[in-house]
């Protein structure tokens, strides 16, 4: 059985261009939820047409309750809700491949709704000295579990960035970045056509070059399929010193300049969990008017 995880973020989906489009509770968010679900359905349809047997969709955006279950392709399953140990990558443990859907570029980079975890606050993010975003971080987690990233969707700049952290993945650009809050967008019908075709190709490729593992391999990181065991250094820059100061309360975190922090973790999964703690603390330290 070939199982595919779809890690579904919202900023990079069809039609989304402004903060209200992805802010739960707004009228724009309600309008974009069907478009989000439409992108997911197109990918699910393509994956199954290409030979995948099982597709688990992880709603990975913000409150993680954005996709419309009642409109989801009935052949897929939906992981919805918060407080999942692996967050955006929950479900990777038993997957044979992963799709990054609706992804975006990182803090301080060009791209539609570019950010890293927090919409404001972080101005730069690096992993092992390289410019990073959520995609690079999640790709390292996938690699650690021996799972290939087979498809990345988002704006054109996200697709370009994916070439540096998932060079073997297929990509689909559903919009072209004009600025952080503007894009040339494809209508949903055209996006769906591209997404379906690329997803089918990705699944077909996977079947031609399968990656096999047992449930024991998935449960025990020490038995990963040839995945590298190495530490990672994460660096995060903020727009103001007080955010870095607040994050220094997190164990293993050290100062990295007046507005930056850094830490080293033994593996990508631990690094990503520590990073989530750091951004949560930084978010709580922000003031309404001064940030």
């Amino acid at each position: 059985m070939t199982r595919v995880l779809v890690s579904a973020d919202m900023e990079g989906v069809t039609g989304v261009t402004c903060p209200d489009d992805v802010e739960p509770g707004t009228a724009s968010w309600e309008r974009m939820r069907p478009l989000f679900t439409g992108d997911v359905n197109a990918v699910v349809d393509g994956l199954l047409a290409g030979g995948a047997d099982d597709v688990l969709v992880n709603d990975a955006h913000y409150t993680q309750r954005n996709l419309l279950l009642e409109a989801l392709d009935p052949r897929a399953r939906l992981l919805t809700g918060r407080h999942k140990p692996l967050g955006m990558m929950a479900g990777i443990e038993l997957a044979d491949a992963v799709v990054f859907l609706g992804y975006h570029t990182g803090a301080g980079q060009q791209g539609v709704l570019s950010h890293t975890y927090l919409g404001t606050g972080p101005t730069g993010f690096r992993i092992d000295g390289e410019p990073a975003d959520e995609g690079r971080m999640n790709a390292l987690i996938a690699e650690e579990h021996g799972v290939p990233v087979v498809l990345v969707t988002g704006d054109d700049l996200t697709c370009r960035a994916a070439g540096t952290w998932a060079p073997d993945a297929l990509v689909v650009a559903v919009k072209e970045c004009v600025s952080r809050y503007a894009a040339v967008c494809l209508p949903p019908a055209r996006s769906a056509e591209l997404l379906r075709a690329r997803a089918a190709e990705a699944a077909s490729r996977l079947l031609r070059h399968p990656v096999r593992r047992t449930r024991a391999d998935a449960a025990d990181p020490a038995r990963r399929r040839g995945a590298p065991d190495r530490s990672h250094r994460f660096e995060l820059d903020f727009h103001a010193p007080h955010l870095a100061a607040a994050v220094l309360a997190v164990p293993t975190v050290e100062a990295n300049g007046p507005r930056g922090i850094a830490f080293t973790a033994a593996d990508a999964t631990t690094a990503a969990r520590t990073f989530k703690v750091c951004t949560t603390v930084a978010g709580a330290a922000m003031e309404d008017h001064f940030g």
Side-chain angles (χ1 to χ4, degrees):
M1 174 178 285
T2 300
R3 299 174 175 176
V4 181
L5 171 68
V6 177
S7 174
D9 207 354
M10 194 171 185
E11 285 86 357
V13 303
T14 297
V16 166
T17 59
C18 77
D20 276 0
D21 287 345
V22 296
E23 182 71 25
T26 67
S28 292
W29 173 74
E30 288 288 1
R31 174 176 172 245
M32 291 299 166
R33 294 178 73 192
L35 274 67
F36 186 16
T37 308
D39 276 15
V40 167
N41 282 344
V43 167
V44 169
D45 188 29
L47 291 171
L48 295 172
D53 300 298
D54 178 77
V55 180
L56 173 65
V57 179
N58 177 13
D59 188 333
H61 174 69
Y62 199 15
T63 60
Q64 298 164 48
R65 299 180 184 275
N66 308 276
L67 289 165
L68 299 171
L69 179 61
E70 60 272 28
L72 187 70
D73 188 312
R75 298 169 295 175
R77 296 175 297 136
L78 178 64
L79 173 54
T80 181
R82 302 179 68 184
H83 310 306
K84 297 170 285 196
L86 284 180
M88 297 180 77
M89 294 300 286
I92 196 68
E93 305 92 329
L94 294 178
D96 297 298
V98 61
V99 172
F100 291 171
L101 182 147
Y103 271 45
H104 51 83
T105 54
Q109 300 175 14
Q110 291 288 347
V112 178
L113 292 177
S114 59
H115 70 284
T116 303
Y117 271 56
L118 299 175
T120 59
T123 59
F125 176 37
R126 295 170 299 283
I127 298 177
D128 301 328
E130 296 292 329
D133 49 29
E134 293 168 18
R136 183 181 290 275
M137 179 166 55
N138 291 342
L140 286 173
I141 296 174
E143 180 185 35
E144 192 165 87
H145 285 78
V147 177
V149 181
V150 296
L151 177 65
V152 178
T153 82
D155 70 8
D156 57 324
L157 300 184
T158 301
C159 292
R160 184 187 304 171
T164 67
W165 44 257
D168 296 326
L170 298 176
V171 297
V172 177
V174 299
K175 54 196 172 191
E176 297 176 22
C177 175
V178 174
S179 73
R180 195 179 187 212
Y181 303 128
V184 178
C185 298
L186 293 176
R190 289 183 61 190
S191 288
E193 184 178 344
L194 292 174
L195 292 166
R196 190 178 296 109
R198 282 297 199 186
E201 183 180 353
S204 179
R205 279 188 179 186
L206 181 65
L207 290 175
R208 291 198 301 271
H209 306 284
V211 182
R212 300 298 181 193
R213 71 173 168 182
T214 66
R215 287 179 180 268
D217 293 330
D220 183 359
R223 300 177 61 176
R224 293 188 298 265
R225 295 167 293 183
D229 289 306
R230 62 187 179 93
S231 63
H232 296 283
R233 179 174 173 82
F234 279 37
E235 298 173 275
L236 185 61
D237 304 324
F238 295 101
H239 79 271
H242 74 282
L243 300 181
V247 175
L248 290 178
V250 179
T252 75
V253 171
E254 61 187 34
N256 191 33
R259 295 181 292 104
I261 60 96
F263 63 88
T264 299
D267 55 74
T269 301
T270 302
R273 286 174 168 169
T274 304
F275 183 82
K276 184 176 181 179
V277 174
C278 291
T279 55
T280 299
V281 171
M286 290 185 186
E287 300 291 343
D288 290 342
H289 300 293
F290 281 79

